[in-house]
């Protein structure tokens, strides 16, 4: 069993611990591990490691706190000291309840965990089931999306550190909200990554989009994988989060017989049995491969859920008309209909963006639709646009209401991006705060060059290093109280309440079918005794239904049963309870 201050440094010839200002020699403990050769200080202490006679101490790869930033000394943290008050909390698991994705730095003016905790009552009243936090592990600088993290065990100090994180989860559970933490295991940030000084954490020459890949299958990878698995368990054990969102798992380069994802799923299941809590993993993947969420006993990876970007793309194209890049294949109502019934659009279908066939069909007999997490906006789909513009920049209230209906009545697990529920007008842009001038300059120039290649006007691309890019991305909390912002918030609350009182909207079964008309641009989704009727056209439509329309349970504007169908105004939607009678 590892002791405090043990460290894995298999390539080092000599390692010392600098703790409380005093050097303490470490001795080899086998397997590349080093352990203190003399008594180490107890209690809260600042410490670092000196490798092979180096004069500058390095932070602990498993550091829980970095009070002076990622280049400074680590500080011990006793996770067991927190007195939890969430004894009555029971997670619903990934059962179709809505997820609210938020970035701590821009969710509130203060940008801290404690400030976010003060708005948990608002989220509980909204009607979501889970709060999903973008990455909070330690990065260099004061603000960042979170995907430049370099110390995976430490909570970013500008957010409040690990104690504030425990307070946030505790408060969320007392409000009846679960917590999902976004974690990044496929790459590390560009500043403060000292892991290669300790051991073979990375595989040089085997890069992904963000740099050298994490060493998952080469020499020394057993300990690297343990480093990742133990980190995942830390969030669920010490901080009591209910689930993890695994970033970009398609970038994990792993050729071992048991994939890292399968290993993570098995460890999560074991911890769930040990604690009696419902714990789960959700993968972000662009592979369109349901093996990720197939059970392990049929050679799947055993994850509980995965993102489906195809849903986002189909909704986005049908509402905005944008067809550039990866949107090109989704230019039809039929594409949306296929996603609603099959989960993926690219299911071994031609992908013009990739220039090849892509994906595989979902096994609808083994996979439940709730296992697909979908959205109409998220941090990537907004922030990776040149100007970081939300749908509110190009769509009016009626189209935004259609997006809400499609997201919250589909058979999948819906996710809402912070501010979406009140049609936030603020952008959410790509921002960084690299203290190193050369890194900041390279980041800004690279961002600009990327969008110039795509034909964007450079004038609309904000400099990620400008403080205003970050401050402009903060939510304006004066908006939800007035005008169409308040109207949209009421609509989201009504739809989320409808999900709670209509079992058909969260039933773990695939839809009873979809009817649509490409020319007239309407679509009907059948969910048990309910029909979700959507008019995407700029004209009023009377849409025929398979059964006689009864009570209108929800509508974005006027909706009237009419003969054998339902009359809808232009660009509007309704949820209708169907009678038992089939139409003539």
């Amino acid at each position: 069993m590892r002791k405090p201050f043990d460290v894995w440094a298999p390539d080092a010839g000599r390692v010392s611990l600098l703790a409380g200002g005093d050097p303490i020699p470490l001795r080899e403990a086998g397997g590349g591990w080093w352990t203190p050769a003399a008594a180490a200080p107890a209690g809260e202490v600042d410490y670092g490691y000196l490798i092979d006679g180096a004069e500058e101490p390095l932070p602990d790869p498993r550091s829980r706190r970095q009070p002076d930033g990622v280049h400074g000394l680590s500080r011990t943290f006793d996770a067991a000291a927190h007195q939890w008050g969430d004894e009555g909390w029971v997670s619903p698991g990934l059962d179709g309840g809505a997820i609210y994705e938020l970035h701590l730095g821009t969710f509130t003016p203060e940008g801290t965990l404690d400030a976010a905790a003060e708005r948990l009552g608002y989220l509980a009243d909204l009607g979501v089931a889970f709060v999903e936090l973008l990455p909070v592990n330690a990065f260099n600088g004061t603000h960042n999306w979170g995907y430049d993290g370099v110390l995976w065990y430490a909570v970013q100090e500008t957010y409040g550190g690990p104690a504030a994180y425990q307070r946030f989860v505790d408060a969320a559970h007392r409000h009846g909200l679960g917590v999902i933490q976004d974690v990044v295991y496929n790459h590390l940030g560009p500043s403060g990554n000292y892991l290669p000084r300790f051991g073979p954490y990375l595989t040089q020459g085997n890069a992904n989009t963000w740099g050298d890949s994490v060493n998952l299958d080469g020499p020394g990878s057993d300990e690297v994988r343990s480093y990742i698995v133990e980190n995942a368990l830390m969030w669920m054990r010490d901080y009591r989060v209910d689930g993890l969102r695994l970033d970009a798992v398609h970038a994990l380069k792993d050729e071992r017989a048991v994939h890292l994802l399968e290993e993570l799923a098995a460890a999560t299941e074991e911890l769930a049995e040990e604690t009696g809590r419902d714990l789960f993993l959700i993968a972000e993947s662009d592979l369109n491969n349901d093996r990720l969420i197939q059970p392990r006993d049929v050679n799947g990876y055993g994850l509980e859920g995965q993102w489906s970007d195809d849903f986002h793309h189909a909704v986005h194209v049908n509402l905005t008309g944008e067809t550039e890049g990866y949107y090109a294949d989704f230019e039809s109502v039929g594409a949306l209909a296929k996603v609603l019934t099959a989960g993926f659009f690219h299911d071994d279908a031609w992908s013009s963006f990739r220039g090849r066939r892509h994906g595989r069909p979902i096994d609808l007999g083994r996979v439940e639709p709730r296992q697909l997490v979908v959205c109409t906006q998220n941090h990537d789909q907004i922030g990776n646009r040149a100007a970081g513009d939300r749908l509110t920049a190009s769509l009016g209230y009626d189209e935004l209401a259609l997006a809400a209906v499609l997201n919250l009545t589909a058979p999948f697990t819906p996710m809402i991006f912070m501010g979406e529920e009140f049609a936030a007008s603020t952008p959410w842009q790509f921002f960084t705060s690299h203290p190193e001038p050369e890194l900041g300059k390279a980041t800004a120039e690279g961002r600009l060059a990327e969008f110039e290649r795509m034909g964007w006007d450079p004038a609309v691309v904000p400099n990620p290093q400008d403080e205003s890019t970050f401050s402009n991305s903060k939510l304006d909390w004066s908006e939800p109280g007035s005008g169409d912002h308040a109207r949209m918030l009421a609509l989201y609350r009504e739809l989320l309440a409808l999900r709670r009182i209509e079992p058909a909207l969260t039933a773990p079964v695939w839809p009873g079918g979809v009817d649509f008309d490409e020319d007239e641009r309407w679509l009907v989704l059948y969910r048990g005794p309910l029909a979700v009727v959507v008019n995407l056209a700029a004209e009023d439509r009377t849409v025929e239904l398979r059964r006689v329309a009864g009570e209108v349970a929800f509508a974005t504007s006027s909706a009237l049963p009419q003969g054998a169908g339902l009359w809808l105004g232009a660009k509007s939607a309704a949820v209708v309870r169907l009678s038992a009678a089939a139409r003539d």
Side-chain angles (χ1 to χ4, degrees):
M1 182 176 179
R2 287 199 298 274
K3 298 182 295 184
F5 303 114
D6 285 3
V7 66
W8 186 62
D11 299 331
R14 180 160 50 100
V15 183
S16 295
L17 169 70
L18 186 67
D22 298 320
I24 300 171
L26 270 63
R27 60 176 175 81
E28 293 185 78
W33 283 89
W34 297 76
T35 192
E44 186 176 278
V45 61
D46 290 353
Y47 69 101
Y49 295 96
L50 302 169
I51 296 179
D52 291 330
E55 295 183 358
E56 289 295 324
L58 302 179
D60 184 357
R62 286 175 166 78
S63 169
R64 294 298 189 93
R65 280 198 69 187
Q66 291 296 124
D68 298 316
V70 298
H71 298 291
L73 291 173
S74 301
R75 180 173 293 173
T76 55
F77 172 72
D78 181 6
H82 181 75
Q83 299 296 311
W84 290 90
D86 65 346
E87 291 81 7
W89 167 249
V90 177
S91 170
L94 195 67
D95 69 344
I99 298 170
Y100 189 93
E101 184 187 41
L102 69 84
H103 175 266
L104 281 167
T106 51
F107 181 60
T108 65
E110 301 86 352
T112 64
L113 285 153
D114 287 336
E118 293 177 3
R119 295 196 178 270
L120 289 170
Y122 162 85
L123 295 179
D125 291 342
L126 178 63
V128 298
F130 290 96
V131 178
E132 179 175 315
L133 301 180
L134 268 65
V136 300
N137 56 291
F139 54 81
N140 197 24
T142 58
H143 53 268
N144 190 284
W145 273 24
Y147 297 92
D148 284 332
V150 290
L151 286 166
W152 292 347
Y153 283 71
V155 176
Q156 175 69 9
E157 204 69 15
T158 53
Y159 291 157
Y165 193 95
Q166 289 180 317
R167 291 194 296 271
F168 177 86
V169 176
D170 208 349
H173 287 169
R174 293 197 303 272
H175 278 91
L177 297 167
V179 178
I180 300 170
Q181 180 57 57
D182 190 345
V183 291
V184 184
Y185 297 138
N186 55 71
H187 75 284
L188 292 111
S191 178
N193 174 22
Y194 295 107
L195 292 182
R197 300 273 295 276
F198 286 88
Y201 283 89
L202 302 180
T203 303
Q204 294 183 351
N206 189 15
N208 59 33
T209 305
W210 304 281
D212 290 336
S213 294
V214 177
N215 175 22
L216 301 178
D217 52 12
S221 59
D222 284 358
E223 287 294 349
V224 177
R225 293 165 75 102
S226 292
Y227 178 75
I228 293 172
V229 172
E230 289 171 16
N231 178 260
L233 297 179
M234 175 201 77
W235 292 110
M236 294 182 280
R237 182 189 59 242
D238 295 349
Y239 297 106
R240 296 199 185 183
V241 304
D242 303 283
L244 300 177
R245 180 262 191 188
L246 310 176
D247 179 65
V249 301
H250 48 271
L252 298 172
K253 298 182 182 295
D254 184 5
E255 297 296 330
R256 290 172 63 157
V258 177
H259 195 279
L260 175 67
L261 294 177
E262 185 177 352
E263 191 173 342
L264 283 166
T268 299
E269 183 178 312
E270 184 177 338
L271 182 63
E273 292 176 356
E274 174 189 326
T275 60
R277 295 163 51 213
D278 195 328
L279 306 172
F280 56 85
L281 303 176
I282 302 169
E284 180 205 10
S285 172
D286 71 357
L287 300 176
N288 281 22
N289 185 353
D290 72 342
R291 185 181 182 190
L292 276 66
I293 50 179
Q294 290 272 13
R296 296 200 309 281
D297 60 8
V298 293
N299 206 32
Y301 290 163
L303 304 179
E304 189 67 18
Q306 74 174 96
W307 280 22
S308 173
D309 284 343
D310 286 7
F311 177 87
H312 168 272
H313 300 345
V315 174
H316 188 92
V317 173
N318 274 282
L319 293 180
T320 68
E322 291 184 30
T323 56
E324 295 80 13
Y326 52 68
Y327 289 136
D329 296 340
F330 298 88
E331 192 180 8
S332 66
V333 181
L336 179 56
K338 179 179 179 180
V339 171
L340 288 168
T341 51
F344 295 150
F345 178 80
H346 289 120
D347 54 359
D348 194 29
W350 174 257
S351 167
S352 60
F353 177 71
R354 299 174 177 87
R356 60 170 174 80
R357 302 181 72 82
H358 182 68
R360 66 187 297 174
I362 291 176
D363 184 339
L364 304 185
R366 281 203 175 101
V367 173
E368 296 179 356
R370 65 171 180 83
Q371 292 181 264
L372 298 183
V373 176
V374 302
C375 67
T376 59
Q377 301 183 73
N378 66 32
H379 76 276
D380 269 333
Q381 300 299 338
I382 299 172
N384 283 327
R385 294 173 67 84
D389 51 312
R390 297 171 180 262
L391 286 177
T392 46
S394 56
L395 300 181
Y397 174 87
D398 291 340
E399 293 95 339
L400 294 172
L402 287 178
V405 171
L406 287 167
N407 192 27
L408 296 177
T409 63
F412 315 117
T413 294
M415 186 172 72
I416 299 165
F417 184 64
M418 63 176 196
E420 170 191 331
E421 75 281 4
F422 60 83
S425 64
T426 50
W428 201 75
Q429 299 169 332
F430 178 69
F431 47 80
T432 54
S433 61
H434 300 306
E436 303 91 341
E438 67 282 0
L439 180 56
K441 183 173 182 288
T443 300
E445 290 177 348
R447 181 87 172 168
L448 190 63
E450 175 186 355
F451 284 108
E452 282 184 313
R453 286 194 299 270
M454 297 167 61
W456 285 84
D457 179 356
V460 306
V461 183
N463 185 338
Q465 284 285 110
D466 284 352
E467 180 73 23
S468 61
T469 305
F470 171 59
S471 60
N472 290 343
S473 299
K474 288 179 177 280
L475 289 178
D476 179 356
W477 284 100
S478 70
E479 290 187 336
S482 62
D484 279 348
H485 299 295
R487 187 179 170 204
M488 185 62 67
L489 179 57
L491 181 142
Y492 268 81
R493 284 175 170 161
E494 187 177 355
L495 277 170
L496 287 163
L498 188 66
R499 289 179 63 82
R500 293 193 298 272
I501 63 175
E502 290 288 353
L505 291 179
T506 52
V509 295
W510 291 89
V514 173
D515 296 333
F516 67 95
D517 188 299
E518 199 70 63
D519 295 327
E520 294 200 344
R521 293 187 54 73
W522 57 258
L523 177 146
V524 183
L525 170 67
Y526 292 95
R527 307 287 317 274
L530 302 178
V532 181
V533 191
V534 179
N535 178 16
L536 297 161
E539 300 84 24
D540 300 348
R541 292 280 187 258
T542 298
V543 179
E544 292 190 349
L545 304 177
R546 296 180 184 180
R547 286 158 47 194
V548 175
E551 178 188 3
V552 176
F554 170 88
T556 62
S557 63
S558 297
L560 301 172
Q562 193 172 84
L566 183 75
W567 177 89
L568 282 174
K571 296 184 179 180
S572 66
V575 179
V576 182
R577 296 186 178 95
L578 300 172
S579 73
R583 70 176 174 84
D584 295 332

